[in-house]
Tab-separated table of all heavy atoms in Angstrom:
chain	number	residue	atom	x	y	z
A	410	TYR	N	124.105	89.205	129.153
A	410	TYR	CA	122.879	89.555	128.385
A	410	TYR	C	121.608	88.999	128.975
A	410	TYR	O	120.519	89.233	128.476
A	410	TYR	CB	123.038	89.162	126.917
A	410	TYR	CG	123.931	90.162	126.213
A	410	TYR	CD1	125.309	90.008	126.216
A	410	TYR	CD2	123.411	91.300	125.602
A	410	TYR	CE1	126.146	90.931	125.640
A	410	TYR	CE2	124.259	92.254	125.010
A	410	TYR	CZ	125.607	92.078	125.050
A	410	TYR	OH	126.393	92.993	124.473
A	423	ALA	N	118.303	89.276	123.080
A	423	ALA	CA	118.549	90.236	124.141
A	423	ALA	C	119.088	91.560	123.577
A	423	ALA	O	119.232	92.541	124.291
A	423	ALA	CB	119.559	89.675	125.118
A	424	HIS	N	119.427	91.561	122.281
A	424	HIS	CA	119.822	92.790	121.584
A	424	HIS	C	119.550	92.606	120.069
A	424	HIS	O	119.452	91.504	119.595
A	424	HIS	CB	121.287	93.200	121.857
A	424	HIS	CG	122.301	92.162	121.543
A	424	HIS	ND1	123.649	92.411	121.630
A	424	HIS	CD2	122.185	90.873	121.071
A	424	HIS	CE1	124.338	91.320	121.250
A	424	HIS	NE2	123.480	90.404	120.921
A	425	THR	N	119.481	93.731	119.399
A	425	THR	CA	119.207	93.660	117.941
A	425	THR	C	120.470	93.301	117.174
A	425	THR	O	120.429	93.114	115.949
A	425	THR	CB	118.630	94.974	117.421
A	425	THR	OG1	119.326	96.076	118.047
A	425	THR	CG2	117.171	95.124	117.710
A	426	SER	N	121.626	93.183	117.868
A	426	SER	CA	122.837	92.772	117.182
A	426	SER	C	122.721	91.354	116.554
A	426	SER	O	123.525	90.977	115.714
A	426	SER	CB	124.061	92.837	118.149
A	426	SER	OG	124.193	94.123	118.649
A	429	GLN	N	122.932	91.358	112.878
A	429	GLN	CA	124.135	91.785	112.178
A	429	GLN	C	124.549	90.800	111.062
A	429	GLN	O	124.815	91.192	109.953
A	429	GLN	CB	125.295	92.017	113.155
A	429	GLN	CG	125.201	93.353	113.880
A	429	GLN	CD	126.500	93.742	114.547
A	429	GLN	OE1	127.575	93.193	114.254
A	429	GLN	NE2	126.432	94.672	115.464
A	456	ARG	N	115.191	90.816	128.102
A	456	ARG	CA	116.248	90.449	129.045
A	456	ARG	C	115.644	90.076	130.382
A	456	ARG	O	114.744	90.731	130.866
A	456	ARG	CB	117.230	91.648	129.243
A	456	ARG	CG	118.076	91.858	128.005
A	456	ARG	CD	119.183	92.843	128.221
A	456	ARG	NE	119.734	93.254	126.918
A	456	ARG	CZ	120.717	94.085	126.786
A	456	ARG	NH1	121.336	94.599	127.814
A	456	ARG	NH2	121.142	94.408	125.550
A	458	GLU	N	116.182	90.437	133.533
A	458	GLU	CA	116.902	91.191	134.548
A	458	GLU	C	115.995	91.917	135.521
A	458	GLU	O	114.793	91.997	135.272
A	458	GLU	CB	117.904	92.147	133.888
A	458	GLU	CG	117.270	93.216	133.024
A	458	GLU	CD	118.334	94.060	132.301
A	458	GLU	OE1	119.502	93.959	132.610
A	458	GLU	OE2	117.904	94.862	131.457
A	463	THR	N	114.535	102.321	134.746
A	463	THR	CA	115.219	102.374	133.457
A	463	THR	C	115.476	100.999	132.841
A	463	THR	O	116.128	100.890	131.780
A	463	THR	CB	116.560	103.142	133.553
A	463	THR	OG1	117.315	102.500	134.598
A	463	THR	CG2	116.344	104.622	133.869
A	464	HIS	N	114.990	99.937	133.457
A	464	HIS	CA	115.191	98.583	132.946
A	464	HIS	C	113.865	97.852	132.826
A	464	HIS	O	113.198	97.689	133.835
A	464	HIS	CB	116.113	97.763	133.863
A	464	HIS	CG	117.531	98.267	133.870
A	464	HIS	ND1	117.931	99.307	134.657
A	464	HIS	CD2	118.602	97.928	133.112
A	464	HIS	CE1	119.210	99.582	134.426
A	464	HIS	NE2	119.629	98.777	133.466
A	465	GLU	N	113.569	97.372	131.644
A	465	GLU	CA	112.344	96.579	131.378
A	465	GLU	C	112.786	95.214	130.926
A	465	GLU	O	113.905	95.061	130.427
A	465	GLU	CB	111.517	97.222	130.257
A	465	GLU	CG	110.274	97.933	130.723
A	465	GLU	CD	109.178	97.048	131.234
A	465	GLU	OE1	109.430	95.854	131.549
A	465	GLU	OE2	108.027	97.494	131.307
A	466	HIS	N	111.934	94.234	131.071
A	466	HIS	CA	112.238	92.885	130.490
A	466	HIS	C	112.053	92.887	128.991
A	466	HIS	O	112.659	92.144	128.270
A	466	HIS	CB	111.364	91.779	131.149
A	466	HIS	CG	109.902	92.112	131.111
A	466	HIS	ND1	109.159	91.993	129.979
A	466	HIS	CD2	109.082	92.587	132.072
A	466	HIS	CE1	107.906	92.372	130.257
A	466	HIS	NE2	107.827	92.740	131.492
A	468	PHE	N	111.960	95.551	125.699
A	468	PHE	CA	112.198	96.904	125.271
A	468	PHE	C	112.562	96.898	123.818
A	468	PHE	O	112.584	95.822	123.183
A	468	PHE	CB	113.287	97.565	126.115
A	468	PHE	CG	114.604	96.822	126.169
A	468	PHE	CD1	115.648	97.228	125.346
A	468	PHE	CD2	114.779	95.689	126.940
A	468	PHE	CE1	116.862	96.524	125.311
A	468	PHE	CE2	115.980	94.981	126.927
A	468	PHE	CZ	117.023	95.389	126.117
A	470	GLN	N	115.270	98.097	120.598
A	470	GLN	CA	116.551	98.616	120.219
A	470	GLN	C	116.578	99.001	118.732
A	470	GLN	O	115.783	98.499	117.977
A	470	GLN	CB	117.695	97.618	120.469
A	470	GLN	CG	118.174	97.552	121.898
A	470	GLN	CD	119.425	96.742	122.075
A	470	GLN	OE1	119.841	96.027	121.156
A	470	GLN	NE2	120.050	96.799	123.211
A	472	GLU	N	119.418	99.084	115.738
A	472	GLU	CA	120.773	98.600	115.380
A	472	GLU	C	121.156	99.175	114.029
A	472	GLU	O	120.364	99.139	113.114
A	472	GLU	CB	120.751	97.073	115.282
A	472	GLU	CG	122.088	96.397	115.075
A	472	GLU	CD	122.742	96.112	116.406
A	472	GLU	OE1	122.084	96.260	117.448
A	472	GLU	OE2	123.919	95.755	116.396
A	510	PHE	N	132.543	95.336	123.821
A	510	PHE	CA	131.560	94.457	123.215
A	510	PHE	C	132.364	93.529	122.316
A	510	PHE	O	133.156	94.026	121.492
A	510	PHE	CB	130.526	95.203	122.332
A	510	PHE	CG	129.776	96.265	123.065
A	510	PHE	CD1	130.172	97.584	123.004
A	510	PHE	CD2	128.611	95.945	123.785
A	510	PHE	CE1	129.463	98.594	123.686
A	510	PHE	CE2	127.902	96.936	124.446
A	510	PHE	CZ	128.336	98.260	124.388
A	512	PHE	N	131.884	92.130	119.667
A	512	PHE	CA	131.652	92.204	118.205
A	512	PHE	C	132.133	93.495	117.575
A	512	PHE	O	131.936	93.726	116.380
A	512	PHE	CB	130.160	91.946	117.861
A	512	PHE	CG	129.212	92.495	118.885
A	512	PHE	CD1	128.617	93.736	118.695
A	512	PHE	CD2	128.958	91.785	120.027
A	512	PHE	CE1	127.729	94.241	119.678
A	512	PHE	CE2	128.096	92.310	121.002
A	512	PHE	CZ	127.482	93.503	120.841
A	513	VAL	N	132.761	94.390	118.361
A	513	VAL	CA	133.361	95.612	117.781
A	513	VAL	C	134.741	95.822	118.341
A	513	VAL	O	135.077	95.423	119.474
A	513	VAL	CB	132.490	96.885	118.071
A	513	VAL	CG1	131.267	96.931	117.190
A	513	VAL	CG2	132.105	96.950	119.538
A	518	GLU	N	131.138	103.732	124.098
A	518	GLU	CA	129.804	104.130	124.544
A	518	GLU	C	129.658	105.614	124.099
A	518	GLU	O	130.551	106.401	124.254
A	518	GLU	CB	129.709	104.039	126.073
A	518	GLU	CG	128.691	102.969	126.442
A	518	GLU	CD	128.930	102.434	127.829
A	518	GLU	OE1	129.458	103.162	128.679
A	518	GLU	OE2	128.595	101.251	128.026
A	538	GLU	N	124.355	108.382	128.519
A	538	GLU	CA	124.778	107.308	127.601
A	538	GLU	C	123.637	106.892	126.730
A	538	GLU	O	122.585	106.488	127.245
A	538	GLU	CB	125.191	106.047	128.445
A	538	GLU	CG	126.675	106.075	128.801
A	538	GLU	CD	126.940	104.964	129.768
A	538	GLU	OE1	126.310	103.881	129.619
A	538	GLU	OE2	127.773	105.220	130.681
A	539	MET	N	123.828	106.950	125.439
A	539	MET	CA	122.697	106.662	124.545
A	539	MET	C	122.799	105.293	123.878
A	539	MET	O	121.794	104.674	123.579
A	539	MET	CB	122.572	107.705	123.433
A	539	MET	CG	122.362	109.121	123.930
A	539	MET	SD	121.010	109.304	125.115
A	539	MET	CE	119.572	109.126	124.085
A	540	LEU	N	124.016	104.796	123.634
A	540	LEU	CA	124.148	103.538	122.911
A	540	LEU	C	125.576	102.992	122.983
A	540	LEU	O	126.520	103.718	123.326
A	540	LEU	CB	123.692	103.664	121.464
A	540	LEU	CG	124.221	104.839	120.658
A	540	LEU	CD1	125.614	104.545	120.106
A	540	LEU	CD2	123.254	105.080	119.464
A	541	GLY	N	125.709	101.760	122.529
A	541	GLY	CA	127.041	101.109	122.363
A	541	GLY	C	127.311	101.099	120.855
A	541	GLY	O	126.403	100.958	120.052
A	542	CYS	N	128.586	101.230	120.486
A	542	CYS	CA	128.945	101.275	119.078
A	542	CYS	C	130.422	100.950	118.911
A	542	CYS	O	131.168	100.739	119.849
A	542	CYS	CB	128.681	102.665	118.523
A	542	CYS	SG	129.490	103.994	119.392
A	543	GLY	N	130.851	100.891	117.619
A	543	GLY	CA	132.264	100.607	117.352
A	543	GLY	C	132.484	100.149	115.950
A	543	GLY	O	131.536	100.045	115.141
A	564	ALA	N	129.071	99.679	113.564
A	564	ALA	CA	127.714	99.288	114.015
A	564	ALA	C	127.424	99.958	115.350
A	564	ALA	O	128.338	100.375	116.057
A	564	ALA	CB	127.691	97.769	114.213
A	565	TRP	N	126.121	100.153	115.577
A	565	TRP	CA	125.720	100.708	116.869
A	565	TRP	C	124.426	100.031	117.263
A	565	TRP	O	123.665	99.490	116.465
A	565	TRP	CB	125.573	102.205	116.816
A	565	TRP	CG	124.356	102.669	116.023
A	565	TRP	CD1	123.087	102.790	116.482
A	565	TRP	CD2	124.300	102.996	114.608
A	565	TRP	NE1	122.269	103.224	115.441
A	565	TRP	CE2	123.009	103.347	114.300
A	565	TRP	CE3	125.293	103.022	113.600
A	565	TRP	CZ2	122.603	103.737	113.036
A	565	TRP	CZ3	124.883	103.453	112.322
A	565	TRP	CH2	123.575	103.759	112.054
A	566	GLY	N	124.093	100.101	118.580
A	566	GLY	CA	122.836	99.601	119.054
A	566	GLY	C	122.401	100.383	120.288
A	566	GLY	O	123.175	100.519	121.250
A	567	GLY	N	121.206	100.928	120.230
A	567	GLY	CA	120.739	101.768	121.333
A	567	GLY	C	119.293	101.498	121.655
A	567	GLY	O	118.529	100.975	120.832
A	568	GLY	N	118.899	101.833	122.886
A	568	GLY	CA	117.481	101.596	123.338
A	568	GLY	C	116.555	102.717	122.885
A	568	GLY	O	116.885	103.888	123.009
A	570	GLU	N	113.335	103.111	124.061
A	570	GLU	CA	112.543	103.673	125.178
A	570	GLU	C	113.322	104.824	125.859
A	570	GLU	O	112.738	105.860	126.141
A	570	GLU	CB	112.264	102.580	126.235
A	570	GLU	CG	111.111	101.680	125.944
A	570	GLU	CD	111.459	100.618	124.945
A	570	GLU	OE1	112.592	100.594	124.412
A	570	GLU	OE2	110.592	99.768	124.628
A	571	ARG	N	114.615	104.621	126.096
A	571	ARG	CA	115.377	105.653	126.796
A	571	ARG	C	115.502	106.942	125.937
A	571	ARG	O	115.481	108.047	126.497
A	571	ARG	CB	116.754	105.121	127.171
A	571	ARG	CG	116.613	103.978	128.200
A	571	ARG	CD	117.896	103.668	128.879
A	571	ARG	NE	117.791	102.378	129.584
A	571	ARG	CZ	118.825	101.670	129.977
A	571	ARG	NH1	120.029	102.080	129.737
A	571	ARG	NH2	118.616	100.528	130.637
A	582	ILE	N	110.348	103.762	132.750
A	582	ILE	CA	110.233	103.038	131.479
A	582	ILE	C	109.043	102.071	131.536
A	582	ILE	O	108.489	101.703	130.483
A	582	ILE	CB	111.532	102.220	131.277
A	582	ILE	CG1	111.604	101.676	129.828
A	582	ILE	CG2	111.713	101.081	132.253
A	582	ILE	CD1	112.951	101.103	129.428
B	786	FA5	C1	123.997	96.129	123.426
B	786	FA5	O1	122.932	95.627	123.500
B	786	FA5	C2	124.849	96.054	122.213
B	786	FA5	N1	124.309	95.092	121.308
B	786	FA5	C3	124.993	97.407	121.549
B	786	FA5	C4	125.961	97.474	120.421
B	786	FA5	C5	125.544	97.288	119.074
B	786	FA5	C6	127.304	97.719	120.647
B	786	FA5	C7	126.455	97.340	118.062
B	786	FA5	C8	128.213	97.784	119.640
B	786	FA5	C9	127.769	97.598	118.329
B	786	FA5	P1	123.811	97.266	125.751
B	786	FA5	O2	123.592	96.014	126.523
B	786	FA5	O3	124.613	98.310	126.400
B	786	FA5	O4	124.476	96.953	124.360
B	786	FA5	O5	122.381	97.854	125.358
B	786	FA5	C10	122.273	98.962	124.492
B	786	FA5	C11	121.135	99.881	124.910
B	786	FA5	O6	119.916	99.140	125.029
B	786	FA5	C12	121.338	100.548	126.292
B	786	FA5	O7	122.104	101.685	126.139
B	786	FA5	C13	119.913	100.864	126.648
B	786	FA5	O8	119.488	102.038	126.011
B	786	FA5	C14	119.113	99.696	126.061
B	786	FA5	N2	118.817	98.726	127.070
B	786	FA5	C15	119.572	97.670	127.469
B	786	FA5	N3	118.950	96.939	128.434
B	786	FA5	C16	117.748	97.556	128.638
B	786	FA5	C17	116.603	97.259	129.486
B	786	FA5	N4	116.558	96.233	130.309
B	786	FA5	N5	115.575	98.109	129.412
B	786	FA5	C18	115.543	99.169	128.557
B	786	FA5	N6	116.579	99.465	127.727
B	786	FA5	C19	117.655	98.658	127.769
Side-chain angles (χ1 to χ4, degrees):
Y410 285 87
H424 56 175
T425 41
S426 301
Q429 282 195 16
R456 290 190 193 181
E458 61 185 352
T463 53
H464 292 85
E465 255 290 19
H466 51 75
F468 57 99
Q470 278 191 348
E472 186 88 10
F510 302 96
F512 36 98
V513 284
E518 246 157 29
E538 269 171 37
M539 301 309 288
L540 48 80
C542 56
W565 72 85
E570 279 79 357
R571 295 194 194 162
I582 194 171

